[in-house]
Amino acid sequence: MSLFHLNQARNTLQVMIAHVPVGGGLAGSVVSPVVVQSMTNTDTADADATIKQVFDLWQAGSEVVRITVNSPEAAAQVANIRRGLDALGCNVPLVGDFHYNGHKLLAQYPDCAEALAKYRINPGNVGKGSKRDEQFAAMIEAAIKYKKAVRIGVNWGSLDQAKMAQMMDDNAKLPVPLSSEALMREALIQSALESAQQAVDLGLSPNQIIISCKVSNVQDLVKVYLELASRSDYPLHLGLTEAGMGSKGIVASTAALALLLQQGIGNTIRVSLTPEPNESRTKEVIVAQEILQTMGIRSFTPLVTACPGCGRTTSTYFQELAMQIQSYLRNQMPVWRGQYDGVENMNVAVMGCVVNGPGESKLANIGISLPGTGETPVAPVFVDGEKTVTLKGDNIAQEFQAIVENYVQINYAIGGKLHASTAKIAMPENEPQKIIPIQAIN
């Protein structure tokens, strides 16, 4: 299997989470794009705080948002949260995350059951002993009644201990027992598939089921999903659980998800980052989008190519400009999505010296090559491979941002896209190579 070519998406049943399609390829359905999901960390009983965070996640690009439904107080607010989001024009589907008491909450709060687009059920936390099947059935019956999708979400940290104990006993009797790691993986897979079959036996359509088997180790996750994909036609939700904080969480999630996505496995994804103090929850959405976009699977927002810097770039100006432009592009996307067709595919280069600056700038839709140490303090700008203007001095950032905005307006306007060669920069005809003489950058 080549690592250099993205494999075709695995064909699955198609599941609708409200208006969002997941999976596809079987029974004549079209394969849907991989869906980005996120989860709130607010107290769902606080409707205002939850509405705000869901809205922020949606604005950042989350196509499905999961909320915790863990108490009567939380369940009582779900319908209010749905109405509040609708009033803001936010139609993002809500997923209810249920553990331990989901059967009671869905029965006692029918408006909650109706307002949610999907129920997340963890087979290990449904109930113990004889109550397990009864309580699981109650949740599935609610999904059938309200025509909701269900995610059978198994986690290693909350695996059904009775099942695990039985599998350990059976494994010990084998001539060649499985290793503890292999047995754990098999327990996850069996728990998910058996629970899905139980739901189908209760009357839930297979086209209402999504499966996940989450662990916190990259190699275990990959092995579980490779096996799971070979043994079922259900759409799969990917995510490395408890990925961690900062770069560790990003790197671990990227490694795990990229290995599986490269092989066409995965229909919805979530990057489960632990936010740093006061950090926005939207970071997990941005990372998920960037995984998909850098792999060439989906595009969400224009990306900035920028050099890492070296001894030739003693100024921090190129770093500041790259950060400013990337923030500007991402902040504009909630508005641009409805106004500019294909703008998410645009590439902008912000380079720090003459070595790779002009070359990378020419390859981008729009690029700027800032001067390095000892270089002439001017910054040529390239639009679709051609140098169109040279900037210099204190207002380079503002001038370059204006060029980017002008390019977007001319090239991506819905119903009126012009050829890129007509969108150089709004300059007087007698000034095709404008130089703005201000202070040197370095």
Side-chain angles (χ1 to χ4, degrees), residues 61-296:
S62 184
E63 294 158 304
V64 176
V65 177
R66 182 158 51 116
I67 61 176
T68 298
V69 187
N70 61 332
S71 66
E73 293 77 14
Q77 291 300 323
V78 171
N80 292 331
I81 291 167
R82 179 71 273 166
R83 285 191 288 268
L85 291 168
D86 291 341
L88 294 172
C90 173
N91 66 347
V92 67
L94 296 178
V95 179
D97 192 48
F98 293 101
H99 297 274
Y100 310 112
N101 59 354
H103 59 293
K104 292 181 179 179
L105 297 177
L106 287 170
Q108 294 170 2
Y109 296 88
D111 57 345
C112 167
E114 180 63 46
L116 295 169
K118 183 173 75 169
Y119 309 154
R120 191 275 184 149
I121 303 174
N122 183 339
N125 289 341
V126 171
K128 294 182 179 180
S130 60
K131 292 184 178 180
R132 189 269 182 198
D133 289 347
E134 176 185 342
Q135 292 171 185
F136 179 82
M139 299 185 72
I140 296 302
E141 286 164 5
I144 295 170
K145 177 180 179 180
Y146 296 104
K147 298 180 173 61
K148 304 300 180 179
V150 169
R151 171 154 71 95
I152 305 294
V154 184
N155 276 46
W156 169 238
S158 54
L159 189 60
D160 186 334
Q161 292 304 301
K163 179 172 184 58
M164 190 64 193
Q166 182 60 54
M167 289 185 67
M168 290 175 67
D169 289 343
D170 294 342
N171 185 59
K173 300 173 185 177
L174 295 176
V176 183
L178 296 174
S179 67
S180 59
E181 293 82 6
L183 183 63
M184 176 271 289
R185 295 192 294 268
E186 181 61 23
L188 287 168
I189 294 166
Q190 285 192 23
S191 178
L193 294 181
E194 289 173 2
S195 295
Q197 185 58 52
Q198 185 179 1
V200 172
D201 293 342
L202 288 165
L204 188 69
S205 169
N207 289 89
Q208 289 174 262
I209 298 173
I210 296 171
I211 286 179
S212 68
C213 289
K214 290 189 174 184
V215 296
S216 57
N217 178 277
V218 171
Q219 295 295 344
D220 282 332
L221 190 83
V222 171
K223 291 174 182 177
V224 165
Y225 273 87
L226 287 173
E227 184 66 20
L228 191 60
S230 73
R231 289 162 62 174
S232 80
D233 293 327
Y234 294 114
L236 300 180
H237 171 74
L238 300 186
L240 190 74
T241 191
E242 287 91 41
M245 297 180 69
S247 60
K248 185 269 180 185
I250 293 172
V251 171
S253 293
T254 302
L257 270 58
L259 287 168
L260 291 165
L261 291 166
Q262 184 73 19
Q263 298 181 70
I265 297 171
N267 306 99
T268 70
I269 67 169
R270 182 194 171 203
V271 177
S272 301
L273 298 179
T274 303
E276 296 178 7
N278 302 315
E279 183 178 44
S280 172
R281 189 71 167 181
T282 60
K283 186 173 183 178
E284 68 175 49
V285 178
I286 294 170
V287 173
Q289 289 180 330
E290 290 180 348
I291 290 171
L292 293 173
Q293 187 153 350
T294 54
M295 291 187 68

Side-chain angles (χ1 to χ4, degrees), residues 305-307 347-351 355-369 382:
T305 299
C307 64
N347 183 257
V348 179
V350 178
M351 305 300 292
V355 174
N356 293 319
E360 289 284 357
S361 296
K362 289 177 182 178
L363 290 172
N365 295 103
I366 308 169
I368 186 169
S369 181
F382 297 82

Side-chain angles (χ1 to χ4, degrees), residues 242-412:
E242 287 91 41
M245 297 180 69
S247 60
K248 185 269 180 185
I250 293 172
V251 171
S253 293
T254 302
L257 270 58
L259 287 168
L260 291 165
L261 291 166
Q262 184 73 19
Q263 298 181 70
I265 297 171
N267 306 99
T268 70
I269 67 169
R270 182 194 171 203
V271 177
S272 301
L273 298 179
T274 303
E276 296 178 7
N278 302 315
E279 183 178 44
S280 172
R281 189 71 167 181
T282 60
K283 186 173 183 178
E284 68 175 49
V285 178
I286 294 170
V287 173
Q289 289 180 330
E290 290 180 348
I291 290 171
L292 293 173
Q293 187 153 350
T294 54
M295 291 187 68
I297 295 173
R298 287 188 68 184
S299 294
F300 297 91
T301 189
L303 294 182
V304 173
T305 299
C307 64
C310 66
R312 299 178 66 92
T313 55
T314 53
S315 169
T316 61
Y317 195 90
F318 81 97
Q319 298 165 311
E320 294 161 1
L321 180 57
M323 183 179 295
Q324 176 180 321
I325 292 296
Q326 183 69 79
S327 296
Y328 165 73
L329 294 172
R330 185 166 289 281
N331 290 336
Q332 289 295 108
M333 278 308 295
V335 176
W336 283 358
R337 282 191 195 104
Q339 296 180 353
Y340 300 111
D341 184 27
V343 67
E344 66 276 5
N345 297 305
M346 183 175 68
N347 183 257
V348 179
V350 178
M351 305 300 292
C353 80
V354 75
V355 174
N356 293 319
E360 289 284 357
S361 296
K362 289 177 182 178
L363 290 172
N365 295 103
I366 308 169
I368 186 169
S369 181
L370 295 162
T373 305
E375 296 175 15
T376 304
V378 296
V381 175
F382 297 82
V383 176
D384 291 321
E386 298 180 22
K387 187 166 76 171
T388 60
V389 64
T390 302
L391 307 179
K392 180 179 180 181
D394 290 341
N395 293 326
I396 284 180
Q398 293 87 343
E399 292 281 342
F400 185 63
Q401 183 170 306
I403 294 171
V404 173
E405 186 169 357
N406 185 68
Y407 184 92
V408 169
Q409 291 173 352
I410 294 176
N411 281 269
Y412 298 103

